[in-house]
Amino acid sequence: MKKLLVLFMGIVLVIAIAACGNKDTKSAQSSTSPAATTQAAGQQVLLKATNFKFDQSEYRVKKGEPVTITLDNAQGVHGASIKEFKINLDNSNKTVTFTPDKAGTFPINCSIMCGSGHANMKTTLIVE
């Protein structure tokens, strides 16, 4: 029984580590546009997620203006959660549009257990 439990825990650990360790071979694309841009349809934020980090330490948007946030899993499998605005993005729901109604600094956390660096996979949404 003890051996079966150890085997089961080993399998669970391998799956958790593999979720973020997915070696996606998408080519890296350089972009000269900022992470948050304003377009005719409103503000656009691209959250590019790689193993244990987002591409920007912060994303800035304006209060009262529509914002479209898109999650791009460039490497591994990740999610993005902004609790204050009830936003949860993942592979089945990669884009959301909302209008921030309050200014401040709001944490964005990875919402899918992605391995050993999951707890530190954070960034910030700043609403001005």
Side-chain angles (χ1 to χ4, degrees):
M1 182 69 175
K2 195 173 191 178
K3 288 182 181 181
L4 185 59
L5 180 62
V6 170
L7 177 64
F8 176 73
M9 293 302 290
I11 291 171
V12 169
L13 180 62
V14 167
I15 290 171
I17 291 171
C20 201
N22 181 4
K23 300 289 187 210
D24 195 352
T25 57
K26 289 182 183 176
S27 62
Q29 298 176 3
S30 63
S31 174
T32 57
S33 62
T37 59
T38 303
Q39 297 180 349
Q43 303 168 94
Q44 305 291 316
V45 173
L46 176 63
L47 292 173
K48 191 172 224 175
T50 58
N51 287 340
F52 313 126
K53 65 181 179 180
F54 292 100
D55 65 325
Q56 303 288 320
S57 61
E58 64 185 37
Y59 301 85
R60 293 181 177 269
V61 297
K62 296 190 185 314
K63 176 184 167 188
E65 295 183 17
V67 178
T68 299
I69 298 179
T70 302
L71 175 65
D72 176 15
N73 278 324
Q75 184 180 41
V77 179
H78 307 283
S81 172
I82 310 171
K83 291 183 181 182
E84 289 80 0
F85 296 109
K86 296 180 179 147
I87 293 173
N88 193 18
L89 301 173
D90 57 27
N91 277 337
S92 63
N93 181 32
K94 291 184 176 196
T95 301
V96 65
T97 299
F98 75 107
T99 302
D101 58 352
K102 53 189 165 189
T105 301
F106 306 97
I108 302 173
N109 298 306
C110 179
S111 59
I112 296 176
M113 177 53 156
C114 58
S116 61
H118 172 72
N120 297 318
M121 190 166 172
K122 302 173 184 178
T123 187
T124 304
L125 178 69
I126 299 174
V127 180
E128 301 172 322

